[in-house]
Amino acid sequence: MSFKNVNSNVKKNWMINRSIVLTILLVGYLCSIVFIPKEIFGLWLGLVILESILLLMQIVYAYIFPSIQYKKYLYLVKDDEIVISKGVIFIESTVIPVVQIQDIGFSQGPIELMLGLASLEISTAGSDHTINGLTKEKAEELVNQLKEKIKVYVNKKGE
């Protein structure tokens, strides 16, 4: 078994979601340029510089970062655990023992629906975990696969 990438459409999903934030920042930027009185030039200039930096960071985050993030977003389903690895600057690896899964399912937001994606949602007693960017079919397959693994564990425990 080896780690698998999520569906490549997840990059579009991230770009669309982050573009919405970028649009909100852009509206704020334009409002500050137009509506803040130029008489308070120091305040105006400081806000314009700060907002320009934020806009530039959001542009990088929205349009460059998703390709890098996609390469680092991996998951692995083993017989007894699920491993999720993600992150670019800070790498986060999560191991979820199958025996600790209390609830499993998938969800689709409007953008995910449009792109044919779904998010696998796994709940344990201590936390909730998500694998974003799966196809709906793959998410359903993983839900069924993990339910079977849980049944096998419960049946072994009952013997």
Side-chain angles (χ1 to χ4, degrees), residues 103-122:
D103 188 32
I104 187 157
F106 70 92
S107 66
Q108 291 181 287
I111 298 170
E112 288 176 316
L113 261 170
M114 183 177 69
L115 296 171
L117 298 175
S119 295
L120 181 70
E121 297 176 345
I122 304 166

Side-chain angles (χ1 to χ4, degrees), residues 20-33 51 55:
I20 293 168
V21 173
L22 181 61
T23 303
I24 293 167
L25 284 174
L26 188 57
V27 167
Y29 180 76
L30 294 174
C31 286
S32 68
I33 288 174
E51 289 173 342
L55 278 173

Side-chain angles (χ1 to χ4, degrees), residues 5 7 10 14 17 19 35 40 42-43 50 55 57 66 78 89 93 100 108-111 115 121 127 129-130 140:
N5 279 98
N7 189 281
V10 75
W14 291 332
N17 285 318
S19 294
F35 295 115
I40 315 171
L43 174 64
L50 177 64
L55 278 173
M57 289 172 59
K78 295 181 177 180
I89 298 169
S93 187
Q100 292 184 1
Q108 291 181 287
I111 298 170
L115 296 171
E121 297 176 345
S127 57
H129 306 280
T130 305
E140 288 174 336

Side-chain angles (χ1 to χ4, degrees), residues 4-133:
K4 297 179 184 174
N5 279 98
V6 294
N7 189 281
S8 62
N9 275 347
V10 75
K11 293 184 282 188
K12 292 177 189 172
N13 185 28
W14 291 332
M15 286 181 188
I16 292 168
N17 285 318
R18 294 169 186 176
S19 294
I20 293 168
V21 173
L22 181 61
T23 303
I24 293 167
L25 284 174
L26 188 57
V27 167
Y29 180 76
L30 294 174
C31 286
S32 68
I33 288 174
V34 172
F35 295 115
I36 292 180
K38 310 300 183 282
E39 294 81 37
I40 315 171
F41 185 74
L43 174 64
W44 180 83
L45 183 61
L47 280 173
V48 168
I49 291 171
L50 177 64
E51 289 173 342
S52 298
I53 293 169
L54 288 173
L55 278 173
L56 182 60
M57 289 172 59
Q58 186 64 28
I59 289 168
V60 169
Y61 186 60
Y63 302 111
I64 297 170
F65 211 68
S67 294
I68 300 166
Q69 187 178 6
Y70 169 75
K71 292 176 186 173
K72 301 287 186 169
Y73 199 122
L74 306 166
Y75 71 96
L76 173 65
V77 178
K78 295 181 177 180
D79 288 337
D80 59 342
E81 64 188 14
I82 304 157
V83 183
I84 305 168
S85 179
K86 58 186 172 182
V88 176
I89 298 169
F90 299 99
I91 307 297
E92 176 185 324
S93 187
T94 306
V95 178
I96 309 161
V98 171
V99 298
Q100 292 184 1
I101 296 175
Q102 292 184 335
D103 188 32
I104 187 157
F106 70 92
S107 66
Q108 291 181 287
I111 298 170
E112 288 176 316
L113 261 170
M114 183 177 69
L115 296 171
L117 298 175
S119 295
L120 181 70
E121 297 176 345
I122 304 166
S123 295
T124 64
S127 57
D128 295 321
H129 306 280
T130 305
I131 301 175
N132 298 306

